PDB file of all heavy atoms in Angstrom:
ATOM      1  N   GLN L   1      16.446  67.436 -48.670  1.00  0.00           N
ATOM      2  CA  GLN L   1      17.726  67.206 -49.312  1.00  0.00           C
ATOM      3  C   GLN L   1      18.107  65.736 -49.176  1.00  0.00           C
ATOM      4  O   GLN L   1      18.003  65.166 -48.088  1.00  0.00           O
ATOM      5  CB  GLN L   1      18.822  68.062 -48.690  1.00  0.00           C
ATOM      6  CG  GLN L   1      18.713  69.550 -48.979  1.00  0.00           C
ATOM      7  CD  GLN L   1      19.375  69.935 -50.274  1.00  0.00           C
ATOM      8  OE1 GLN L   1      18.697  70.200 -51.266  1.00  0.00           O
ATOM      9  NE2 GLN L   1      20.696  69.976 -50.289  1.00  0.00           N
ATOM     10  N   LEU L   2      18.536  65.138 -50.261  1.00  0.00           N
ATOM     11  CA  LEU L   2      18.961  63.750 -50.267  1.00  0.00           C
ATOM     12  C   LEU L   2      20.411  63.677 -50.710  1.00  0.00           C
ATOM     13  O   LEU L   2      20.779  64.264 -51.726  1.00  0.00           O
ATOM     14  CB  LEU L   2      18.092  62.913 -51.210  1.00  0.00           C
ATOM     15  CG  LEU L   2      16.580  62.936 -50.963  1.00  0.00           C
ATOM     16  CD1 LEU L   2      15.861  62.136 -52.049  1.00  0.00           C
ATOM     17  CD2 LEU L   2      16.256  62.365 -49.594  1.00  0.00           C
ATOM     18  N   VAL L   3      21.212  62.956 -49.957  1.00  0.00           N
ATOM     19  CA  VAL L   3      22.627  62.824 -50.261  1.00  0.00           C
ATOM     20  C   VAL L   3      23.004  61.352 -50.253  1.00  0.00           C
ATOM     21  O   VAL L   3      22.898  60.691 -49.220  1.00  0.00           O
ATOM     22  CB  VAL L   3      23.509  63.597 -49.265  1.00  0.00           C
ATOM     23  CG1 VAL L   3      24.981  63.437 -49.632  1.00  0.00           C
ATOM     24  CG2 VAL L   3      23.136  65.071 -49.252  1.00  0.00           C
ATOM     25  N   GLU L   4      23.462  60.859 -51.396  1.00  0.00           N
ATOM     26  CA  GLU L   4      23.887  59.470 -51.505  1.00  0.00           C
ATOM     27  C   GLU L   4      25.361  59.333 -51.161  1.00  0.00           C
ATOM     28  O   GLU L   4      26.157  60.252 -51.379  1.00  0.00           O
ATOM     29  CB  GLU L   4      23.653  58.927 -52.919  1.00  0.00           C
ATOM     30  CG  GLU L   4      22.225  59.031 -53.416  1.00  0.00           C
ATOM     31  CD  GLU L   4      21.993  60.268 -54.246  1.00  0.00           C
ATOM     32  OE1 GLU L   4      22.745  61.255 -54.088  1.00  0.00           O
ATOM     33  OE2 GLU L   4      21.066  60.263 -55.074  1.00  0.00           O
ATOM     34  N   SER L   5      25.716  58.162 -50.676  1.00  0.00           N
ATOM     35  CA  SER L   5      27.106  57.841 -50.416  1.00  0.00           C
ATOM     36  C   SER L   5      27.285  56.331 -50.501  1.00  0.00           C
ATOM     37  O   SER L   5      26.312  55.582 -50.489  1.00  0.00           O
ATOM     38  CB  SER L   5      27.559  58.359 -49.051  1.00  0.00           C
ATOM     39  OG  SER L   5      26.820  57.747 -48.005  1.00  0.00           O
ATOM     40  N   GLY L   6      28.522  55.900 -50.575  1.00  0.00           N
ATOM     41  CA  GLY L   6      28.826  54.480 -50.563  1.00  0.00           C
ATOM     42  C   GLY L   6      29.213  53.883 -51.895  1.00  0.00           C
ATOM     43  O   GLY L   6      29.549  52.701 -51.967  1.00  0.00           O
ATOM     44  N   GLY L   7      29.153  54.666 -52.946  1.00  0.00           N
ATOM     45  CA  GLY L   7      29.540  54.155 -54.249  1.00  0.00           C
ATOM     46  C   GLY L   7      31.037  53.950 -54.344  1.00  0.00           C
ATOM     47  O   GLY L   7      31.804  54.378 -53.491  1.00  0.00           O
ATOM     48  N   GLY L   8      31.435  53.274 -55.394  1.00  0.00           N
ATOM     49  CA  GLY L   8      32.849  53.019 -55.594  1.00  0.00           C
ATOM     50  C   GLY L   8      33.079  51.949 -56.622  1.00  0.00           C
ATOM     51  O   GLY L   8      32.186  51.571 -57.379  1.00  0.00           O
ATOM     52  N   LEU L   9      34.305  51.462 -56.652  1.00  0.00           N
ATOM     53  CA  LEU L   9      34.717  50.417 -57.578  1.00  0.00           C
ATOM     54  C   LEU L   9      34.736  49.082 -56.855  1.00  0.00           C
ATOM     55  O   LEU L   9      35.317  48.958 -55.771  1.00  0.00           O
ATOM     56  CB  LEU L   9      36.098  50.732 -58.147  1.00  0.00           C
ATOM     57  CG  LEU L   9      36.741  49.682 -59.047  1.00  0.00           C
ATOM     58  CD1 LEU L   9      35.925  49.499 -60.326  1.00  0.00           C
ATOM     59  CD2 LEU L   9      38.171  50.080 -59.370  1.00  0.00           C
ATOM     60  N   VAL L  10      34.114  48.093 -57.450  1.00  0.00           N
ATOM     61  CA  VAL L  10      34.057  46.770 -56.853  1.00  0.00           C
ATOM     62  C   VAL L  10      34.187  45.717 -57.943  1.00  0.00           C
ATOM     63  O   VAL L  10      33.792  45.945 -59.090  1.00  0.00           O
ATOM     64  CB  VAL L  10      32.741  46.590 -56.056  1.00  0.00           C
ATOM     65  CG1 VAL L  10      31.534  46.622 -56.988  1.00  0.00           C
ATOM     66  CG2 VAL L  10      32.766  45.314 -55.234  1.00  0.00           C
ATOM     67  N   GLN L  11      34.753  44.586 -57.595  1.00  0.00           N
ATOM     68  CA  GLN L  11      34.880  43.496 -58.544  1.00  0.00           C
ATOM     69  C   GLN L  11      33.556  42.765 -58.715  1.00  0.00           C
ATOM     70  O   GLN L  11      32.715  42.776 -57.817  1.00  0.00           O
ATOM     71  CB  GLN L  11      35.947  42.507 -58.078  1.00  0.00           C
ATOM     72  CG  GLN L  11      37.343  43.078 -57.993  1.00  0.00           C
ATOM     73  CD  GLN L  11      38.358  42.048 -57.552  1.00  0.00           C
ATOM     74  OE1 GLN L  11      38.358  40.917 -58.045  1.00  0.00           O
ATOM     75  NE2 GLN L  11      39.221  42.431 -56.637  1.00  0.00           N
ATOM     76  N   PRO L  12      33.354  42.136 -59.857  1.00  0.00           N
ATOM     77  CA  PRO L  12      32.145  41.333 -60.026  1.00  0.00           C
ATOM     78  C   PRO L  12      32.003  40.314 -58.905  1.00  0.00           C
ATOM     79  O   PRO L  12      32.970  39.671 -58.505  1.00  0.00           O
ATOM     80  CB  PRO L  12      32.359  40.647 -61.377  1.00  0.00           C
ATOM     81  CG  PRO L  12      33.253  41.585 -62.126  1.00  0.00           C
ATOM     82  CD  PRO L  12      34.179  42.152 -61.079  1.00  0.00           C
ATOM     83  N   GLY L  13      30.798  40.186 -58.401  1.00  0.00           N
ATOM     84  CA  GLY L  13      30.543  39.310 -57.275  1.00  0.00           C
ATOM     85  C   GLY L  13      30.693  39.972 -55.929  1.00  0.00           C
ATOM     86  O   GLY L  13      30.320  39.387 -54.906  1.00  0.00           O
ATOM     87  N   GLY L  14      31.226  41.169 -55.918  1.00  0.00           N
ATOM     88  CA  GLY L  14      31.417  41.900 -54.685  1.00  0.00           C
ATOM     89  C   GLY L  14      30.162  42.602 -54.222  1.00  0.00           C
ATOM     90  O   GLY L  14      29.100  42.497 -54.839  1.00  0.00           O
ATOM     91  N   SER L  15      30.307  43.337 -53.142  1.00  0.00           N
ATOM     92  CA  SER L  15      29.168  44.005 -52.529  1.00  0.00           C
ATOM     93  C   SER L  15      29.474  45.460 -52.224  1.00  0.00           C
ATOM     94  O   SER L  15      30.620  45.846 -51.975  1.00  0.00           O
ATOM     95  CB  SER L  15      28.779  43.312 -51.218  1.00  0.00           C
ATOM     96  OG  SER L  15      28.395  41.970 -51.431  1.00  0.00           O
ATOM     97  N   LEU L  16      28.442  46.253 -52.254  1.00  0.00           N
ATOM     98  CA  LEU L  16      28.496  47.642 -51.841  1.00  0.00           C
ATOM     99  C   LEU L  16      27.208  47.968 -51.111  1.00  0.00           C
ATOM    100  O   LEU L  16      26.163  47.376 -51.386  1.00  0.00           O
ATOM    101  CB  LEU L  16      28.651  48.594 -53.027  1.00  0.00           C
ATOM    102  CG  LEU L  16      30.013  48.721 -53.702  1.00  0.00           C
ATOM    103  CD1 LEU L  16      29.890  49.597 -54.942  1.00  0.00           C
ATOM    104  CD2 LEU L  16      31.046  49.303 -52.744  1.00  0.00           C
ATOM    105  N   ARG L  17      27.306  48.917 -50.211  1.00  0.00           N
ATOM    106  CA  ARG L  17      26.129  49.389 -49.515  1.00  0.00           C
ATOM    107  C   ARG L  17      26.013  50.884 -49.734  1.00  0.00           C
ATOM    108  O   ARG L  17      26.879  51.651 -49.308  1.00  0.00           O
ATOM    109  CB  ARG L  17      26.204  49.083 -48.023  1.00  0.00           C
ATOM    110  CG  ARG L  17      24.939  49.457 -47.247  1.00  0.00           C
ATOM    111  CD  ARG L  17      25.053  49.059 -45.783  1.00  0.00           C
ATOM    112  NE  ARG L  17      23.863  49.388 -45.013  1.00  0.00           N
ATOM    113  CZ  ARG L  17      22.798  48.620 -44.905  1.00  0.00           C
ATOM    114  NH1 ARG L  17      22.771  47.430 -45.513  1.00  0.00           N
ATOM    115  NH2 ARG L  17      21.751  49.003 -44.179  1.00  0.00           N
ATOM    116  N   LEU L  18      24.958  51.283 -50.395  1.00  0.00           N
ATOM    117  CA  LEU L  18      24.691  52.684 -50.630  1.00  0.00           C
ATOM    118  C   LEU L  18      23.800  53.228 -49.529  1.00  0.00           C
ATOM    119  O   LEU L  18      22.926  52.529 -49.008  1.00  0.00           O
ATOM    120  CB  LEU L  18      24.013  52.899 -51.986  1.00  0.00           C
ATOM    121  CG  LEU L  18      24.716  52.330 -53.214  1.00  0.00           C
ATOM    122  CD1 LEU L  18      23.942  52.705 -54.471  1.00  0.00           C
ATOM    123  CD2 LEU L  18      26.153  52.827 -53.291  1.00  0.00           C
ATOM    124  N   SER L  19      24.022  54.468 -49.192  1.00  0.00           N
ATOM    125  CA  SER L  19      23.226  55.111 -48.172  1.00  0.00           C
ATOM    126  C   SER L  19      22.689  56.430 -48.704  1.00  0.00           C
ATOM    127  O   SER L  19      23.354  57.126 -49.470  1.00  0.00           O
ATOM    128  CB  SER L  19      24.063  55.353 -46.912  1.00  0.00           C
ATOM    129  OG  SER L  19      23.292  55.965 -45.897  1.00  0.00           O
ATOM    130  N   CYS L  20      21.495  56.752 -48.298  1.00  0.00           N
ATOM    131  CA  CYS L  20      20.860  58.005 -48.668  1.00  0.00           C
ATOM    132  C   CYS L  20      20.404  58.698 -47.402  1.00  0.00           C
ATOM    133  O   CYS L  20      19.511  58.204 -46.708  1.00  0.00           O
ATOM    134  CB  CYS L  20      19.675  57.744 -49.603  1.00  0.00           C
ATOM    135  SG  CYS L  20      18.711  59.217 -50.014  1.00  0.00           S
ATOM    136  N   ALA L  21      21.024  59.813 -47.110  1.00  0.00           N
ATOM    137  CA  ALA L  21      20.671  60.585 -45.932  1.00  0.00           C
ATOM    138  C   ALA L  21      19.714  61.701 -46.324  1.00  0.00           C
ATOM    139  O   ALA L  21      20.006  62.483 -47.229  1.00  0.00           O
ATOM    140  CB  ALA L  21      21.916  61.162 -45.277  1.00  0.00           C
ATOM    141  N   ALA L  22      18.598  61.747 -45.649  1.00  0.00           N
ATOM    142  CA  ALA L  22      17.587  62.760 -45.920  1.00  0.00           C
ATOM    143  C   ALA L  22      17.590  63.809 -44.825  1.00  0.00           C
ATOM    144  O   ALA L  22      17.647  63.484 -43.637  1.00  0.00           O
ATOM    145  CB  ALA L  22      16.202  62.123 -46.029  1.00  0.00           C
ATOM    146  N   SER L  23      17.539  65.038 -45.233  1.00  0.00           N
ATOM    147  CA  SER L  23      17.463  66.135 -44.284  1.00  0.00           C
ATOM    148  C   SER L  23      16.322  67.060 -44.674  1.00  0.00           C
ATOM    149  O   SER L  23      15.877  67.076 -45.817  1.00  0.00           O
ATOM    150  CB  SER L  23      18.780  66.910 -44.222  1.00  0.00           C
ATOM    151  OG  SER L  23      19.095  67.491 -45.482  1.00  0.00           O
ATOM    152  N   GLY L  24      15.875  67.825 -43.715  1.00  0.00           N
ATOM    153  CA  GLY L  24      14.733  68.679 -43.939  1.00  0.00           C
ATOM    154  C   GLY L  24      13.462  68.018 -43.440  1.00  0.00           C
ATOM    155  O   GLY L  24      13.441  66.818 -43.157  1.00  0.00           O
ATOM    156  N   ARG L  25      12.446  68.796 -43.356  1.00  0.00           N
ATOM    157  CA  ARG L  25      11.186  68.290 -42.829  1.00  0.00           C
ATOM    158  C   ARG L  25      10.403  67.542 -43.899  1.00  0.00           C
ATOM    159  O   ARG L  25      10.264  68.002 -45.031  1.00  0.00           O
ATOM    160  CB  ARG L  25      10.359  69.442 -42.276  1.00  0.00           C
ATOM    161  CG  ARG L  25      10.978  70.106 -41.053  1.00  0.00           C
ATOM    162  CD  ARG L  25      10.093  71.228 -40.535  1.00  0.00           C
ATOM    163  NE  ARG L  25      10.627  71.814 -39.315  1.00  0.00           N
ATOM    164  CZ  ARG L  25      11.544  72.771 -39.288  1.00  0.00           C
ATOM    165  NH1 ARG L  25      12.021  73.265 -40.417  1.00  0.00           N
ATOM    166  NH2 ARG L  25      11.980  73.246 -38.127  1.00  0.00           N
ATOM    167  N   THR L  26       9.907  66.404 -43.520  1.00  0.00           N
ATOM    168  CA  THR L  26       9.058  65.613 -44.393  1.00  0.00           C
ATOM    169  C   THR L  26       7.724  65.376 -43.701  1.00  0.00           C
ATOM    170  O   THR L  26       7.661  65.244 -42.484  1.00  0.00           O
ATOM    171  CB  THR L  26       9.695  64.267 -44.747  1.00  0.00           C
ATOM    172  OG1 THR L  26       9.955  63.527 -43.547  1.00  0.00           O
ATOM    173  CG2 THR L  26      11.005  64.470 -45.489  1.00  0.00           C
ATOM    174  N   VAL L  27       6.678  65.326 -44.478  1.00  0.00           N
ATOM    175  CA  VAL L  27       5.341  65.118 -43.943  1.00  0.00           C
ATOM    176  C   VAL L  27       4.625  64.048 -44.736  1.00  0.00           C
ATOM    177  O   VAL L  27       4.967  63.764 -45.889  1.00  0.00           O
ATOM    178  CB  VAL L  27       4.512  66.415 -43.955  1.00  0.00           C
ATOM    179  CG1 VAL L  27       5.139  67.460 -43.049  1.00  0.00           C
ATOM    180  CG2 VAL L  27       4.368  66.948 -45.375  1.00  0.00           C
ATOM    181  N   GLY L  28       3.617  63.471 -44.108  1.00  0.00           N
ATOM    182  CA  GLY L  28       2.804  62.488 -44.771  1.00  0.00           C
ATOM    183  C   GLY L  28       3.516  61.176 -44.992  1.00  0.00           C
ATOM    184  O   GLY L  28       4.572  60.903 -44.419  1.00  0.00           O
ATOM    185  N   SER L  29       2.941  60.381 -45.851  1.00  0.00           N
ATOM    186  CA  SER L  29       3.502  59.093 -46.210  1.00  0.00           C
ATOM    187  C   SER L  29       4.516  59.288 -47.325  1.00  0.00           C
ATOM    188  O   SER L  29       4.177  59.737 -48.420  1.00  0.00           O
ATOM    189  CB  SER L  29       2.397  58.137 -46.650  1.00  0.00           C
ATOM    190  OG  SER L  29       2.930  56.872 -46.988  1.00  0.00           O
ATOM    191  N   VAL L  30       5.757  58.962 -47.033  1.00  0.00           N
ATOM    192  CA  VAL L  30       6.845  59.163 -47.979  1.00  0.00           C
ATOM    193  C   VAL L  30       7.435  57.821 -48.383  1.00  0.00           C
ATOM    194  O   VAL L  30       7.761  57.001 -47.528  1.00  0.00           O
ATOM    195  CB  VAL L  30       7.947  60.059 -47.388  1.00  0.00           C
ATOM    196  CG1 VAL L  30       9.099  60.207 -48.376  1.00  0.00           C
ATOM    197  CG2 VAL L  30       7.383  61.430 -47.037  1.00  0.00           C
ATOM    198  N   SER L  31       7.555  57.624 -49.671  1.00  0.00           N
ATOM    199  CA  SER L  31       8.187  56.432 -50.199  1.00  0.00           C
ATOM    200  C   SER L  31       9.546  56.797 -50.776  1.00  0.00           C
ATOM    201  O   SER L  31       9.730  57.883 -51.337  1.00  0.00           O
ATOM    202  CB  SER L  31       7.316  55.793 -51.280  1.00  0.00           C
ATOM    203  OG  SER L  31       6.086  55.339 -50.747  1.00  0.00           O
ATOM    204  N   MET L  32      10.479  55.887 -50.638  1.00  0.00           N
ATOM    205  CA  MET L  32      11.828  56.102 -51.123  1.00  0.00           C
ATOM    206  C   MET L  32      12.118  55.167 -52.275  1.00  0.00           C
ATOM    207  O   MET L  32      11.621  54.041 -52.321  1.00  0.00           O
ATOM    208  CB  MET L  32      12.848  55.868 -50.010  1.00  0.00           C
ATOM    209  CG  MET L  32      12.621  56.705 -48.760  1.00  0.00           C
ATOM    210  SD  MET L  32      12.771  58.486 -49.069  1.00  0.00           S
ATOM    211  CE  MET L  32      14.468  58.589 -49.650  1.00  0.00           C
ATOM    212  N   GLY L  33      12.928  55.631 -53.187  1.00  0.00           N
ATOM    213  CA  GLY L  33      13.307  54.819 -54.320  1.00  0.00           C
ATOM    214  C   GLY L  33      14.762  54.987 -54.681  1.00  0.00           C
ATOM    215  O   GLY L  33      15.378  56.017 -54.392  1.00  0.00           O
ATOM    216  N   TRP L  34      15.309  53.962 -55.277  1.00  0.00           N
ATOM    217  CA  TRP L  34      16.635  54.012 -55.857  1.00  0.00           C
ATOM    218  C   TRP L  34      16.513  53.822 -57.352  1.00  0.00           C
ATOM    219  O   TRP L  34      15.838  52.903 -57.822  1.00  0.00           O
ATOM    220  CB  TRP L  34      17.549  52.927 -55.280  1.00  0.00           C
ATOM    221  CG  TRP L  34      18.044  53.210 -53.900  1.00  0.00           C
ATOM    222  CD1 TRP L  34      17.522  52.774 -52.723  1.00  0.00           C
ATOM    223  CD2 TRP L  34      19.197  53.998 -53.547  1.00  0.00           C
ATOM    224  NE1 TRP L  34      18.259  53.233 -51.662  1.00  0.00           N
ATOM    225  CE2 TRP L  34      19.299  53.989 -52.141  1.00  0.00           C
ATOM    226  CE3 TRP L  34      20.146  54.698 -54.291  1.00  0.00           C
ATOM    227  CZ2 TRP L  34      20.316  54.655 -51.458  1.00  0.00           C
ATOM    228  CZ3 TRP L  34      21.153  55.369 -53.611  1.00  0.00           C
ATOM    229  CH2 TRP L  34      21.228  55.343 -52.214  1.00  0.00           C
ATOM    230  N   PHE L  35      17.160  54.694 -58.084  1.00  0.00           N
ATOM    231  CA  PHE L  35      17.226  54.616 -59.526  1.00  0.00           C
ATOM    232  C   PHE L  35      18.684  54.548 -59.947  1.00  0.00           C
ATOM    233  O   PHE L  35      19.577  54.891 -59.177  1.00  0.00           O
ATOM    234  CB  PHE L  35      16.559  55.830 -60.174  1.00  0.00           C
ATOM    235  CG  PHE L  35      15.073  55.883 -60.016  1.00  0.00           C
ATOM    236  CD1 PHE L  35      14.494  56.255 -58.810  1.00  0.00           C
ATOM    237  CD2 PHE L  35      14.234  55.576 -61.083  1.00  0.00           C
ATOM    238  CE1 PHE L  35      13.121  56.311 -58.657  1.00  0.00           C
ATOM    239  CE2 PHE L  35      12.853  55.633 -60.946  1.00  0.00           C
ATOM    240  CZ  PHE L  35      12.302  55.995 -59.738  1.00  0.00           C
ATOM    241  N   ARG L  36      18.913  54.135 -61.163  1.00  0.00           N
ATOM    242  CA  ARG L  36      20.278  54.138 -61.679  1.00  0.00           C
ATOM    243  C   ARG L  36      20.264  54.495 -63.152  1.00  0.00           C
ATOM    244  O   ARG L  36      19.283  54.263 -63.858  1.00  0.00           O
ATOM    245  CB  ARG L  36      20.966  52.787 -61.461  1.00  0.00           C
ATOM    246  CG  ARG L  36      20.366  51.633 -62.249  1.00  0.00           C
ATOM    247  CD  ARG L  36      21.023  50.327 -61.851  1.00  0.00           C
ATOM    248  NE  ARG L  36      20.488  49.191 -62.590  1.00  0.00           N
ATOM    249  CZ  ARG L  36      20.790  47.929 -62.344  1.00  0.00           C
ATOM    250  NH1 ARG L  36      21.637  47.636 -61.351  1.00  0.00           N
ATOM    251  NH2 ARG L  36      20.255  46.957 -63.066  1.00  0.00           N
ATOM    252  N   GLN L  37      21.372  55.057 -63.585  1.00  0.00           N
ATOM    253  CA  GLN L  37      21.509  55.423 -64.978  1.00  0.00           C
ATOM    254  C   GLN L  37      22.912  55.075 -65.454  1.00  0.00           C
ATOM    255  O   GLN L  37      23.893  55.653 -64.993  1.00  0.00           O
ATOM    256  CB  GLN L  37      21.233  56.912 -65.194  1.00  0.00           C
ATOM    257  CG  GLN L  37      21.231  57.319 -66.653  1.00  0.00           C
ATOM    258  CD  GLN L  37      20.662  58.706 -66.867  1.00  0.00           C
ATOM    259  OE1 GLN L  37      20.621  59.526 -65.957  1.00  0.00           O
ATOM    260  NE2 GLN L  37      20.200  58.972 -68.076  1.00  0.00           N
ATOM    261  N   ALA L  38      22.974  54.127 -66.349  1.00  0.00           N
ATOM    262  CA  ALA L  38      24.233  53.763 -66.962  1.00  0.00           C
ATOM    263  C   ALA L  38      24.510  54.681 -68.141  1.00  0.00           C
ATOM    264  O   ALA L  38      23.599  55.274 -68.718  1.00  0.00           O
ATOM    265  CB  ALA L  38      24.203  52.306 -67.416  1.00  0.00           C
ATOM    266  N   LEU L  39      25.765  54.782 -68.504  1.00  0.00           N
ATOM    267  CA  LEU L  39      26.157  55.642 -69.606  1.00  0.00           C
ATOM    268  C   LEU L  39      25.453  55.212 -70.879  1.00  0.00           C
ATOM    269  O   LEU L  39      25.504  54.045 -71.265  1.00  0.00           O
ATOM    270  CB  LEU L  39      27.673  55.596 -69.784  1.00  0.00           C
ATOM    271  CG  LEU L  39      28.344  56.780 -70.459  1.00  0.00           C
ATOM    272  CD1 LEU L  39      28.092  58.059 -69.674  1.00  0.00           C
ATOM    273  CD2 LEU L  39      29.841  56.516 -70.573  1.00  0.00           C
ATOM    274  N   GLY L  40      24.796  56.148 -71.514  1.00  0.00           N
ATOM    275  CA  GLY L  40      24.087  55.862 -72.742  1.00  0.00           C
ATOM    276  C   GLY L  40      22.747  55.184 -72.564  1.00  0.00           C
ATOM    277  O   GLY L  40      22.109  54.814 -73.552  1.00  0.00           O
TER     278      GLY L  40
END
């Protein structure tokens, strides 16, 4: 299970830190990625 947090509204030039908490058992070599989807 992956749960993201940290999003919000920020002004241009500002900063945000997103976090992804993983739960459950994982095995082997695991790679993580961040994707995004803008409207349209």
Side-chain angles (χ1 to χ4, degrees):
Q1 290 274 105
L2 304 176
V3 180
E4 304 95 336
S5 62
L9 175 65
V10 65
Q11 297 181 45
S15 299
L16 284 174
R17 185 177 181 86
L18 305 183
S19 181
C20 175
S23 62
R25 294 181 176 85
T26 59
V27 297
S29 181
V30 178
S31 296
M32 304 297 300
W34 285 96
F35 291 76
R36 66 186 181 187
Q37 186 167 21
L39 204 60

